[in-house]
């Protein structure tokens, strides 16, 4: 699939490109990621690594803004590598890109500290959505993954105010579940990004959750979307 280079990453106009490290052991996948992401004017590929150990070393040396991380890596898996990177470089975002969809692996990935989770084979646009969400300070969970973990998570607390969401908040919540970042939601609903941030904060307060991923899970379990 060709990449629309107009796709926004919500970076300031004069901001330097987003410095990205790719950690992937499949040479063809690595090449495809490099070519697709390099086509975006706001992304600069600063390095690549073919296993988790080298990925950690490269991250410590290069200090990238963001790491695209596979899970099934030799020597050191992507979950352990992500934990080490986030411990040493908390400001570095990690997007987990994986074909692993079993409940155990997903829960482990969710606890690794990564900012976003995408399924291999998804469109480049979806990967860019995950990157945009991470850069925007939001969590991104691929809808395929969200639906796989629902049955393994506790149901919403009895104090969760799911019925108190306004019509607009429900609109925003549905788009959050679909994986859209705040700027994308703002554009779709013809609202300002600040207004969307206010709605997102209100949604998380009413659902008694700490991030967008938890909000999506509560929404799906509750049948809100």
């Amino acid at each position: 699939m060709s990449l629309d280079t107009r796709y926004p990453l919500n970076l300031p106009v004069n901001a330097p490109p987003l410095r990205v490290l790719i950690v992937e052991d499949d040479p063809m996948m690595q090449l495809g990621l490099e070519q697709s992401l390099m086509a975006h004017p706001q992304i600069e590929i600063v390095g690549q690594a073919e296993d988790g150990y080298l990925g950690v070393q490269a991250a410590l040396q290069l200090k990238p803004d963001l790491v695209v991380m596979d899970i099934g890596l030799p020597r050191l898996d992507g979950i352990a590598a992500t934990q080490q990177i986030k411990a040493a470089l908390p400001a570095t975002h990690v997007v987990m890109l994986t074909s692993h969809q079993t409940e155990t692996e997903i829960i482990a990935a969710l606890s690794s500290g990564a900012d976003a989770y995408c399924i291999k084979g998804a469109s480049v646009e979806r990967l860019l959505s995950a990157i945009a969400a991470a850069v925007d300070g939001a969590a991104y969970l691929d809808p395929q993954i969200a639906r796989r973990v629902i049955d393994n998570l506790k149901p919403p607390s009895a104090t969760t105010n799911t019925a108190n969401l306004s019509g607009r908040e429900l609109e925003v919540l549905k788009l959050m579940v679909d994986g859209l970042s705040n700027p994308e939601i703002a554009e779709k609903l013809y609202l300002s990004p600040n207004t969307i941030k206010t709605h997102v904060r209100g949604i998380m307060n009413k659902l008694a959750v700490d991030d967008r991923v938890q909000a999506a899970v509560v929404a799906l379990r509750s049948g809100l979307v």
Side-chain angles (χ1 to χ4, degrees), residues 186-207:
E187 182 178 358
K188 198 170 188 67
L189 297 181
Y190 303 101
L191 297 171
S192 73
N194 285 336
T195 298
I196 298 302
K197 286 182 180 179
T198 299
H199 283 313
V200 170
R201 282 196 299 268
I203 290 167
M204 291 194 292
N205 287 336
K206 290 181 181 180
L207 299 184

Side-chain angles (χ1 to χ4, degrees), residues 138-158:
Y140 176 94
L141 185 63
D142 190 289
Q144 294 182 54
I145 296 178
R147 286 167 174 81
R148 292 293 299 272
V149 300
I150 289 171
D151 292 334
N152 293 276
L153 299 176
K154 294 180 180 179
S157 165

Side-chain angles (χ1 to χ4, degrees), residues 61-210:
Q61 178 182 0
L62 298 169
K63 295 180 173 57
D65 300 311
L66 183 137
V67 179
V68 177
M69 176 78 71
D70 187 20
I71 286 185
L73 295 167
R75 293 214 288 174
L76 184 70
D77 65 56
I79 292 171
T82 295
Q83 290 172 333
Q84 293 186 25
I85 290 171
K86 295 296 284 188
L89 303 168
T92 295
H93 304 293
V94 178
V95 173
M96 197 75 82
L97 185 62
T98 178
S99 59
H100 295 237
Q101 298 186 54
T102 68
E103 285 77 4
T104 300
E105 290 163 327
I106 291 169
I107 295 300
L110 288 169
S111 65
S112 70
D115 303 279
Y117 309 86
C118 272
I119 296 297
K120 282 185 176 179
S123 67
V124 174
E125 285 73 18
R126 179 164 290 182
L127 174 58
L128 285 171
S129 291
I131 292 174
V135 171
D136 195 41
Y140 176 94
L141 185 63
D142 190 289
Q144 294 182 54
I145 296 178
R147 286 167 174 81
R148 292 293 299 272
V149 300
I150 289 171
D151 292 334
N152 293 276
L153 299 176
K154 294 180 180 179
S157 165
T159 60
T160 299
N161 298 317
T162 56
N164 292 336
L165 294 178
S166 68
R168 178 65 81 186
E169 287 173 336
L170 286 171
E171 285 184 289
V172 172
L173 181 58
K174 182 182 184 304
L175 296 173
M176 288 167 60
V177 171
D178 289 339
L180 274 66
S181 65
N182 285 359
E184 292 176 292
I185 296 174
E187 182 178 358
K188 198 170 188 67
L189 297 181
Y190 303 101
L191 297 171
S192 73
N194 285 336
T195 298
I196 298 302
K197 286 182 180 179
T198 299
H199 283 313
V200 170
R201 282 196 299 268
I203 290 167
M204 291 194 292
N205 287 336
K206 290 181 181 180
L207 299 184
V209 298
D210 297 321

Side-chain angles (χ1 to χ4, degrees), residues 24-35:
E24 168 62 57
D25 64 322
D26 183 331
M28 294 303 296
M29 186 71 183
Q30 191 179 84
L31 178 62
L33 284 170
E34 180 183 16
Q35 291 179 340

